[in-house]
Amino acid sequence: MSQENWTAVDEYVSGLLAPHDEALEAALRASEDAGLPAIQVSPAQGKLLYLLAKSIGARQVLEFGTLGGYSTIWLARALPDGGRLITLEADLHNAKVARGSIARAGLGDLVDLRVGPALDLLPELEIEGAGRFDLTFIDADKVHTPEYFAWALDHSRPGSLIVSDNVVRDGQLADPNSNDPTIPAQRRLHEMLAADPRVEATTIQTVGVKGHDGFNIALVIG
Ligand code: SAH
Ligand code: DHB
Ligand code: MG
């Protein structure tokens, strides 16, 4: 089976189970028109994030890496009235595009988009006493995934979920000598997960419209 087939299956599934409405379509169009890279989660992955948030009754969500707000819209739609999603984005141009799309989706009041490198923004969140987060989605610069994970874990509660995207990268996760600079960080994340008694986790590798990659899901237990 091939990329063509993986894409066809993704399109079949999302056509029935994760169809785009006007706001999601407009968000993708705005991203494309503004020259943002098309690296947002797939529709099926967006739906998974939405289902995870909904299934745990998430009220407070933290996202690392907004891009054009596509995953943000999926996640924010799972929140009840009074819920809140904080999303961190380093690039001001991306953030402006995202703000427009989030507002058009009617989610402007739920979403708090902060601009800057995430590691610089976390101390502010700390001072504000933000969290505890019910769900964290880590999808920014992959070299810092372990640092983002450690912070999220310290700002979670038993029952929280932490989802990390792009941990498999064409299967390179299994290669200790990979020359993809993000892989040592993903391997470090897995070693942290294996050693930390506060979490139980697994990684699922995926094929689909975005090729061969995968995500990690960690459940905070203590
Ligand atoms: N979650 C988005 C895709 C995010 S792509 C979606 O699925 O729709 C990764 C994003 O992380 C990019 O927009 C990039 O600008 C941002 N990013 C890169 N380094 C960052 C950093 N240090 N802090 C915060 N965001 C960062
Ligand atoms: C890239 C980033 C992502 O978040 C993703 O899902 C796929 C690719 C990238 O930076 O190439
Ligand atoms: Mg990603």
Side-chain angles (χ1 to χ4, degrees):
M1 288 296 137
S2 61
Q3 180 60 58
E4 199 183 331
N5 178 253
W6 302 342
T7 300
V9 172
D10 244 348
E11 284 172 357
Y12 174 79
V13 170
S14 58
L16 288 170
L17 303 181
H20 277 172
D21 55 20
E22 193 41 52
L24 287 169
E25 206 51 47
L28 287 191
R29 225 179 305 123
S31 275
E32 197 183 338
D33 291 350
L36 274 48
I39 55 174
Q40 66 280 340
V41 294
S42 69
Q45 289 166 334
K47 180 74 177 279
L48 175 64
L49 292 171
Y50 165 91
L51 290 173
L52 288 172
K54 231 177 166 174
S55 67
I56 63 168
R59 304 183 64 86
Q60 302 248 44
V61 171
L62 175 62
E63 177 178 65
F64 291 84
T66 318
L67 191 66
Y70 182 78
S71 55
T72 314
I73 292 171
W74 276 109
L75 281 165
R77 283 181 170 175
L79 298 183
D81 284 347
R84 185 169 183 232
L85 186 155
I86 300 177
T87 183
L88 310 178
E89 172 55 49
D91 185 303
L92 181 59
H93 177 61
N94 296 358
K96 285 181 175 164
V97 175
R99 276 209 178 97
S101 293
I102 291 161
R104 260 194 308 276
L107 298 164
D109 292 343
L110 275 172
V111 175
D112 178 357
L113 196 175
R114 312 250 176 137
V115 184
L119 287 176
D120 294 352
L121 298 172
L122 294 177
E124 287 169 26
L125 295 185
E126 179 82 44
I127 288 165
E128 292 168 24
R132 321 245 61 140
F133 295 100
D134 303 303
L135 187 151
T136 300
F137 179 47
I138 301 178
D139 193 25
D141 52 330
K142 313 306 169 190
V143 292
H144 288 126
T145 296
E147 285 74 22
Y148 301 152
F149 178 84
W151 196 92
L153 182 53
D154 286 342
H155 297 80
S156 295
R157 50 146 182 102
S160 295
L161 292 175
I162 304 173
V163 180
S164 301
D165 197 22
N166 311 114
V167 305
V168 173
R169 291 276 190 172
D170 280 315
Q172 293 190 76
L173 180 64
D175 179 4
N177 302 312
S178 167
N179 41 31
D180 179 331
T182 70
I183 288 301
Q186 302 316 323
R187 292 175 64 91
R188 195 146 48 85
L189 171 72
H190 282 75
E191 284 151 25
M192 285 165 64
L193 290 163
D196 198 321
R198 294 175 295 169
V199 285
E200 293 184 324
T202 193
T203 288
I204 296 297
Q205 60 183 330
T206 53
V207 294
V209 65
K210 294 182 70 183
H212 175 203
D213 209 326
F215 56 87
N216 178 271
I217 299 188
L219 172 66
V220 180
I221 57 169

